[in-house]
Amino acid sequence: MSDAREDDALIDALPDADILKALSRHVARGGGPAIGGARLRHVKRRQLLRSQVVRFTERRHETPRTAFGTEDLSALPLYEGTITDHPLPVPEGPGRLTLIRAGSYRPVPCPCDNGQQRCAGCSGSGGHACTCRNEPPPCDVCLDVAPCAQCAKTGGRRTRTTKARPAATGPDATAPGARPITCAVCGTPEAACPRCAGRGRIRCPHCAGRGRETCARCSGRGVGTHDVCGGKGSLTHWVEGTVEYAHETASLSLPRPYWPDKVRERLTAAARWQPRDVPPGGAVPPGVDGEHRAAVAAHLARGRVELSRRVTLETCPLARVELTDDPNRVFHVFPGARGLVVVSTLSDRLKRRLVAAGAVIIIVLALILWLVG
């Protein structure tokens, strides 16, 4: 039986008699029995609606701008007052227009030394004391533990000079198992560490033994680029007006799709959608179902920045049908190009039974595996 609350227009579009004929043809193709009125248990009709609004919009912005140096803005058009009140011709398509407020262009010198300032990293000195404190660091190979085998035996005193240098260079000098070399302290051949030549210390790699590092920020110059003006020595201030034109698309599909993917695919490919003419001003067109009118009104409402629009709005009736003698299937009926289209899906009752049966099978298999194990 049909739902008494349904709109008369939906019943006229999909009457019970036409639904029965379409179901009879659909079931007969599958080898089923003919369908009579007594087998029609429940029919729920809904109006499907889809719409798209493409709005051509204009958005205006005004922003204070600052650039390093002297900025040449002579090619940009001027506007008086505020950008929102400035008259402009409507373009044919999307784009962006940049303008300058009249009287806002103002180049100013920067209070720096021609774009330079004292380096903040070294306070203008060009460097700073090295962490080695003018003391050569321990050799990274012998760690000043036993830099010379002979000196270690005799207790010879090693000199630790700020000019301590590695005795060898290259990858072989510090490679594991490198051959000892002549000690620079006691002169014993093949007895000293190949990295420090028996001194136990090497020249600091950061300051090269000078005790003072070059400032990395200014490369030792003591001055750096002035951050405020980017090293240009001057600034340019102005007020920029921007007008953006764009096509903004808004889509609406009602009701929210709750039907299976199979039905949704057939609706897209085979349904006959009825176009609806939208009145000027964005009013809801006649023929839109009462449950959709509020959502469609909000969808069609004109925006403050809207210049023009293109609107498409279509509707299609859909009936969800349950049969008395076939509780395992649900039929979805809607108009197509050559008559009513029928799509059958599994009923919720059958889905629950299949899920329960699957759960029972899993439990039985688990018990069998437990007993076998």
Side-chain angles (χ1 to χ4, degrees), residues 74-100:
S74 59
L76 297 179
L78 300 177
Y79 69 93
E80 301 283 348
T82 62
I83 190 64
T84 55
D85 299 329
H86 184 66
L88 289 171
V90 178
E92 296 182 357
R96 179 187 177 98
L97 181 63
T98 302
L99 306 91
I100 304 298

Side-chain angles (χ1 to χ4, degrees), residues 64-354:
R65 296 287 305 275
T66 297
F68 297 147
T70 301
E71 192 80 2
D72 184 8
L73 305 175
S74 59
L76 297 179
L78 300 177
Y79 69 93
E80 301 283 348
T82 62
I83 190 64
T84 55
D85 299 329
H86 184 66
L88 289 171
V90 178
E92 296 182 357
R96 179 187 177 98
L97 181 63
T98 302
L99 306 91
I100 304 298
R101 184 201 286 176
S104 68
Y105 181 82
R106 187 167 56 93
V108 296
C110 182
C112 63
D113 185 12
N114 196 27
Q116 301 292 311
Q117 64 178 352
R118 187 173 66 172
C119 177
C122 63
S123 299
S125 65
H128 49 80
C130 182
T131 54
C132 71
R133 300 180 182 276
N134 213 23
E135 174 73 11
C139 173
D140 52 0
V141 174
C142 66
L143 302 178
D144 199 12
V145 174
C148 173
Q150 184 62 29
C151 292
K153 292 178 182 178
T154 61
R157 184 177 181 182
R158 302 190 301 275
T159 59
R160 296 183 179 178
T161 171
T162 58
K163 298 184 180 297
R165 300 174 180 272
T169 59
D172 294 337
T174 57
R179 294 177 59 85
I181 62 174
T182 299
C183 178
V185 178
C186 66
T188 304
E190 298 185 358
C193 169
R195 173 75 166 145
C196 65
R199 296 185 180 93
R201 301 270 173 157
I202 61 171
R203 184 174 58 181
C204 175
H206 302 293
C207 66
R210 296 189 299 270
R212 183 174 177 79
E213 289 185 87
T214 300
C215 176
R217 185 168 181 174
C218 66
S219 300
R221 296 185 298 116
V223 294
T225 300
H226 189 208
D227 296 334
V228 174
C229 66
K232 300 294 185 178
S234 63
L235 298 165
T236 303
H237 305 290
W238 74 95
V239 177
E240 181 177 282
T242 304
V243 185
E244 296 177 319
Y245 299 97
H247 285 135
E248 300 180 5
T249 302
S251 299
L252 180 68
S253 179
L254 297 172
R256 303 303 178 193
Y258 61 89
W259 41 83
D261 292 342
K262 180 181 178 181
V263 179
R264 185 161 53 249
E265 292 171 1
R266 292 291 290 160
L267 280 169
T268 302
R272 187 179 75 246
W273 292 83
Q274 180 181 355
R276 302 283 182 176
D277 293 330
V278 179
V284 179
V288 173
D289 191 71
E291 69 169 326
H292 300 329
R293 297 189 69 83
V296 172
H299 171 67
L300 297 178
R302 284 193 172 273
R304 183 172 57 85
V305 297
E306 181 179 330
L307 300 176
S308 62
R309 58 165 53 189
R310 296 194 309 270
V311 181
T312 57
L313 193 150
E314 301 173 307
T315 60
C316 178
L318 171 70
R320 184 181 184 276
V321 184
E322 298 178 10
L323 300 179
T324 303
D325 299 333
D326 194 352
N328 293 329
R329 286 192 296 177
V330 174
F331 300 90
H332 298 79
V333 184
F334 52 87
R338 298 181 180 180
L340 295 184
V341 178
V342 179
V343 181
S344 62
T345 60
L346 300 180
S347 66
D348 293 340
R349 176 190 179 196
L350 180 58
K351 291 178 183 178
R352 289 192 294 268
R353 287 186 174 184
L354 292 175

